[in-house]
Amino acid sequence: MRHGGVRSRAAATVAGVLLLAALSACGGTDTGRGGGSRAVAGPEGSAAPSSAAESSAPASSAPAPTRIPDIGDRLHRRIPATSRQVLAVYGDGADSAEAVAVLYGKRGPVWERVRSWPAHNGRKGWTPDHRLGDNRSPVGVFTLTAAGGVLADPGTRLPYTRSEDYAAPRWWDESHWHDFDYVIAIDYNRVPGTPPDDGEQPLGEEKGGGIWLHLDHGDGTSACVSLSKEAMEYLLLALDPERDPVVVMGDRDALKA
């Protein structure tokens, strides 16, 4: 299901199988898969419009940080020097599905907090060595290079693939049916820049695939990170490929290590 492409019936069948695998990765069932463990560099971005979004950050008398708060040296070094937009996902604990996602934009040498939202991650927590079906989200730094979903493109600058094929299977619980109205691919065991449902897994199937940002259903995921529809719409408008956006994600102890 390439953006703007027309597939033959045989190609559509293959794509449908790959998409179902990707949907399972993010879905609310235990049959879903997670993603591989390649951390990659990525872009940055200010909110859209950048000036308005950055001005929404709360005023503070404390000095503005020159690095992302509560991110230790190990992961800080993996944030590309070109990145000027970071979504930090702070998990409550190694075995917790609760998290907070914070968007930061870089102005000169300073990282400014733009906006934050409640979030969920893998229902069993986090891991530095994600495996297929472990129901834990991967810890690391990953680029954000493509988006898609059931709903029309809200105006994102990311490449966007719209299709009804993203819809969650109707045998899933109804609370999950809108999970993939909007998705942003996390470049974790996938080829950056390809549509979110692309099935290529450079590290192999055992490392999983299909790790996305997607709409929240009120509890943990199979490995993805889920946020409210409002948050996803905001991120889709805010993320700018020219600013090399990345996500830094993990439980708080792992992030600080």
Side-chain angles (χ1 to χ4, degrees):
M1 184 177 61
R2 298 285 181 171
H3 181 51
V6 178
R7 300 172 299 185
S8 67
R9 181 174 300 177
T13 300
V14 173
V17 172
L18 294 177
L19 178 59
L20 182 58
L23 294 182
S24 296
C26 294
T29 66
D30 285 330
T31 58
R33 47 165 133 181
S37 61
R38 180 182 61 170
V40 292
E44 170 258 8
S46 63
S50 98
S51 58
E54 289 179 355
S55 66
S56 69
S60 173
S61 58
T66 56
R67 55 188 289 170
I68 303 299
D70 297 319
I71 303 298
D73 290 342
R74 180 178 63 87
L75 291 179
H76 177 75
R77 286 193 292 267
R78 293 165 67 178
I79 299 174
T82 55
S83 291
R84 302 189 64 78
Q85 211 172 34
V86 168
L87 180 67
V89 181
Y90 300 97
D92 282 1
D95 301 319
S96 172
E98 304 289 329
V100 173
V102 183
L103 179 64
Y104 294 95
K106 195 173 188 181
R107 189 191 299 273
V110 171
W111 285 101
E112 299 179 337
R113 182 186 178 108
V114 178
R115 191 164 293 191
S116 66
W117 308 270
H120 285 101
N121 50 269
R123 63 178 55 88
K124 291 188 177 179
W126 298 90
T127 178
D129 185 24
H130 178 80
R131 299 287 172 171
L132 177 65
D134 66 8
N135 291 316
R136 292 179 179 272
S137 296
V139 176
V141 179
F142 311 99
T143 48
L144 302 170
T145 57
V150 176
L151 299 181
D153 180 355
T156 184
R157 283 165 283 189
L158 296 171
Y160 191 91
T161 306
R162 182 192 185 187
S163 175
E164 291 291 336
D165 291 344
Y166 278 98
R170 286 313 187 248
W171 66 79
W172 288 5
D173 187 88
E174 187 175 353
S175 63
H176 297 275
W177 288 1
H178 293 283
D179 282 8
F180 313 126
D181 281 358
Y182 292 126
V183 304
I184 299 172
I186 295 172
D187 290 337
Y188 192 82
N189 195 19
R190 69 182 302 272
V191 179
T194 58
D197 65 325
D198 185 88
E200 185 173 349
Q201 298 176 347
L203 298 180
E205 185 176 352
E206 72 282 357
K207 299 293 282 183
I211 303 293
W212 295 344
L213 300 171
H214 66 68
L215 267 65
D216 191 65
H217 50 254
D219 57 14
T221 70
S222 291
C224 296
V225 172
S226 61
L227 305 102
S228 68
K229 183 178 181 181
E230 176 190 19
M232 286 297 297
E233 289 175 336
Y234 189 93
L235 288 171
L236 284 166
L237 294 175
L239 296 176
D240 183 353
E242 293 188 0
R243 297 175 179 266
D244 295 334
V246 299
V247 58
V248 182
M249 51 195 267
D251 59 279
R252 290 184 180 275
D253 287 344
L255 292 177
K256 290 179 181 179

